[in-house]
Amino acid sequence: MEPAGVCGAQGRQELLGQGRAVLGRGGPVPRSLSPHLLPHSMDRRCADLESSLKHLGKAELKEFKVKLNKYKPQGGFQPVLWSELESADTLDIVRVLRGHFVEPYALQVAADIMALINKKDLESTLRQAHDLISIEAVQLR
């Protein structure tokens, strides 16, 4: 059973609040963050993100954290601080990703990091399951 606030209903409510904060308004939630769209897609995204991180060994998880700390996010998102990652376990990293980036960008970042640490199988799984753009395509733009 997962801790509250990671992937369940509480997590959806937290993300809705973050989405409003990111948008700088308390008004209507954009369609991409609409509550009726969140339960299925968000839970699946969160579960897939958690599952992919759990497939990493201890050294790979540390490398993931190092790369995530150095990752330069797009769209005005702030980089993740090392202090948020240093002692983070898998569930903590899920929380950090979801706290820093509005979904599905959190999955995009995770897939990009998987590519950087040469975990192509996990990268591919995330990209195919969630129709994400590959890091190579982004770099070619």
Side-chain angles (χ1 to χ4, degrees), residues 44-83:
R44 181 170 168 233
R45 288 174 183 159
C46 185
D48 288 350
L49 178 57
E50 182 180 339
S51 175
S52 66
L53 289 170
K54 284 185 175 183
H55 278 87
L56 299 177
K58 190 174 181 177
E60 293 166 330
L61 189 62
K62 181 170 182 163
E63 187 178 4
F64 185 95
K65 294 190 295 188
V66 168
K67 297 291 186 185
L68 179 56
N69 174 243
K70 293 179 180 181
Y71 190 84
K72 305 283 189 246
Q74 301 173 359
F77 291 105
Q78 295 299 312
V80 178
L81 301 174
W82 181 248
S83 61

Side-chain angles (χ1 to χ4, degrees), residues 15 32-33 45 101-110 130 132:
L15 185 63
S32 63
L33 291 176
R45 288 174 183 159
F101 311 113
V102 175
E103 293 195 36
Y105 190 56
L107 283 163
Q108 180 72 47
V109 171
H130 300 284
L132 302 172

Side-chain angles (χ1 to χ4, degrees), residues 11-23:
R12 286 191 293 278
Q13 290 303 316
E14 289 172 5
L15 185 63
L16 279 172
Q18 291 167 6
R20 287 187 181 115
V22 167
L23 296 169

